[in-house]
Amino acid sequence: MKLVQKNVEKDGGGSVTLVPEEPEDMWHAYNLISEGDSVRASTIRKVQNESATGSSTSNRVRTTLTISVETIEYDVQGCMLRLKGRNVEENQYVKMGAYHTLDLEQNRKFVLFKREWDSIALERVDIACDPTKNTDLAAVIMQDGLAHICLIMASMTLVRAKIEQAIPRKRKGNVTQHEKGLAKFFESVMQGILRHVDFDVVKCVIIASPGFVRDAFFEYVMQQAVKTDNKVLLENKGKFLLIHSSSGFKHSLKEVLADPSVVAKVSDTKAMGEVRAMEQFYTMLQVEPAKAFYGLKHIQRACEAQAIETLLISDNLFRCQDVKERKQYVALVDGVRDMGGDVKIFSSLHVTGEQLAQLTGIAAILRFPMPELEDEDSDADE
């Protein structure tokens, strides 16, 4: 995301002008824009023209509109963002108060106006505009006949391709058919990697599978690379990391990212920071449960006691339309940081974010035990 201009007043109101440059930037925009905000962007409007003879024609014109946002739709697979609301500025083609839909597009700027830019929104702008937060990790989770090619970005995990092919079973007299089917499957997966993985940006490509599927696949890839003199694969051979997974389904990504060799290889990515925090929380929950809690009620009590060492919170909670509720979460984050605690904001599009969502979306590792919280009514949804 490119920051063109930032005008935030002392009272917290103001605007930022942004240009989405990557698909992930649409996810950042989705997390930044709330109902009640105003957005100005270029759009196409159908206009009716009436001639002197009374006949009418319609043509499409590009114009700039400012709408007060009422609904926000985000398409995960397409990384598209659609905003609907009423026009709030004079325009020669659209009446004041008329409804219009804005589609935010890559490489086309938009201006976002807020009555109050809180710390979470401003932090999101900083993260989105940080050029170091690019996709630096890819993963192929596979088993015989099934593979998922994933890109693990700073704020989301995208499944770029799902490859499913029937492979004949290995039986006596049927070995050749099995090998042919396997080779065809491996070829499809290899082509998927070449199509979706940018080796200039990606630091590591994880190949994960049960059994020896990953080894057989990697051997096939290298043989084909030598045979076809594919310089991309040959020059990036060292970026491949072969890891065990329990299956070829997407949920196996969770165990893969927690593998020590993966953590060591890509320890500087935000995704790895989330994985480590989640692991620490679960370990603490087993070893010393009086120092690990989840649910808003318990976390607020721990924050009041200045007991929070690490706060784990889902970005999904900041998208709530209740202003009072959002302020509650923002105050919690600010409070933990003010007392020197660490805050990890999890993306709900990451595997770890999905895990955290099952624990109400908010959890904490404490500096010291608070057994009194264990004794209270643990209504985690409150």
Side-chain angles (χ1 to χ4, degrees):
M1 188 92 82
K2 183 181 176 184
L3 178 64
V4 179
Q5 201 171 22
K6 186 176 176 183
N7 296 312
V8 179
E9 306 296 330
K10 286 182 180 177
D11 64 359
S15 67
V16 294
T17 305
L18 300 162
V19 180
E21 297 177 314
E22 305 285 341
E24 188 184 9
D25 291 341
M26 292 303 178
W27 174 249
H28 288 304
Y30 176 55
N31 280 279
L32 274 171
I33 301 167
S34 301
E35 286 179 19
D37 293 346
S38 294
V39 174
R40 180 185 296 144
S42 173
T43 186
I44 301 290
R45 182 78 176 185
K46 201 173 182 180
V47 178
Q48 295 281 351
N49 295 316
E50 200 166 300
S51 66
T53 59
S55 62
S56 67
T57 58
S58 68
N59 62 316
R60 293 158 71 81
V61 295
R62 184 166 282 281
T63 185
T64 299
L65 276 186
T66 305
I67 66 166
S68 177
V69 179
E70 291 186 15
T71 58
I72 308 161
E73 294 173 13
Y74 178 70
D75 174 8
V76 177
Q77 285 304 111
C79 292
M80 298 275 292
L81 191 60
R82 176 164 287 181
L83 312 173
K84 187 179 179 183
R86 292 179 185 272
N87 179 37
V88 292
E89 281 188 359
E90 291 289 344
N91 184 282
Q92 67 181 104
Y93 302 114
V94 185
K95 291 178 184 176
M96 285 283 285
Y99 273 106
H100 190 82
T101 300
L102 288 180
D103 289 329
L104 296 192
E105 301 170 19
Q106 268 180 246
N107 302 311
R108 201 178 288 280
K109 75 174 181 181
F110 70 92
V111 186
L112 172 59
F113 302 87
K114 282 183 178 288
R115 292 190 188 91
E116 184 185 350
W117 284 87
D118 57 41
S119 61
I120 297 296
L122 291 170
E123 182 183 351
R124 175 67 67 169
V125 171
D126 292 339
I127 291 169
C129 299
D130 184 346
T132 64
K133 301 281 195 255
N134 289 319
T135 307
D136 49 12
L137 183 60
V140 181
I141 313 295
M142 65 192 304
Q143 63 189 47
D144 276 350
L146 176 68
H148 288 83
I149 299 172
C150 308
L151 296 181
I152 301 158
M153 304 181 185
S155 296
M156 64 200 293
T157 300
L158 280 179
V159 178
R160 298 309 290 164
K162 180 184 178 184
I163 297 152
E164 222 170 342
Q165 287 180 14
I167 298 172
R169 288 192 176 186
K170 201 172 184 178
R171 295 193 186 100
K172 273 189 179 180
N174 193 30
V175 176
T176 309
Q177 290 301 312
H178 172 77
E179 287 173 351
K180 279 183 180 176
L182 199 59
K184 188 182 175 186
F185 170 62
F186 284 169
E187 180 65 26
S188 299
V189 178
M190 184 179 76
Q191 292 304 324
I193 292 172
L194 290 169
R195 195 178 305 115
H196 297 291
V197 176
D198 183 351
F199 283 94
D200 291 334
V201 178
V202 166
K203 293 178 185 174
C204 175
V205 181
I206 299 164
I207 309 290
S209 78
F212 298 101
V213 179
R214 60 188 177 278
D215 303 279
F217 170 67
F218 185 64
E219 189 181 329
Y220 174 87
V221 168
M222 287 302 119
Q223 282 175 355
Q224 292 303 308
V226 171
K227 196 183 288 185
T228 60
D229 193 28
N230 189 311
K231 288 185 170 59
V232 173
L233 291 172
L234 293 171
E235 288 170 7
N236 290 283
K237 184 179 178 180
K239 289 185 179 180
F240 287 89
L241 184 63
L242 276 56
I243 297 289
H244 170 79
S245 70
S246 57
S247 77
F249 292 93
K250 188 196 165 191
H251 63 76
S252 293
L253 193 58
K254 179 177 70 178
E255 67 190 71
V256 169
L257 292 177
D259 188 286
S261 55
V262 176
V263 174
K265 187 100 173 179
V266 285
S267 58
D268 58 338
T269 70
K270 180 177 181 287
M272 285 301 109
E274 291 182 5
V275 169
R276 280 197 301 273
M278 207 71 212
E279 289 288 309
Q280 287 165 3
F281 175 78
Y282 278 125
T283 301
M284 190 65 75
L285 203 57
Q286 291 174 337
V287 177
E288 205 171 347
K291 285 177 69 177
F293 291 94
Y294 59 90
L296 181 58
K297 181 181 164 186
H298 286 159
I299 304 306
Q300 283 179 322
R301 285 284 312 279
C303 185
E304 286 164 14
Q306 298 191 355
I308 296 177
E309 185 176 280
T310 307
L311 177 69
L312 290 64
I313 186 165
S314 170
D315 59 13
N316 194 43
L317 298 181
F318 300 112
R319 289 198 295 275
C320 63
Q321 300 312 319
D322 186 328
V323 176
K324 188 180 173 185
E325 192 180 335
R326 180 187 164 99
K327 282 186 175 179
Q328 209 173 24
Y329 292 122
V330 172
L332 198 54
V333 169
D334 291 343
V336 171
R337 284 177 173 158
D338 288 345
M339 68 174 88
D342 186 20
V343 176
K344 301 280 186 193
I345 298 177
F346 284 58
S347 169
S348 54
L349 287 190
H350 263 315
V351 181
T352 48
E354 291 169 8
Q355 274 183 285
L356 186 59
Q358 292 168 4
L359 300 173
T360 74
I362 187 165
I365 301 167
L366 308 190
R367 292 190 172 101
F368 50 83
M370 289 188 72
E372 62 270 27
L373 293 184
E374 289 185 290
D375 301 330
E376 289 182 4
D377 173 29
S378 57
D379 182 5
D381 293 321
E382 187 172 321

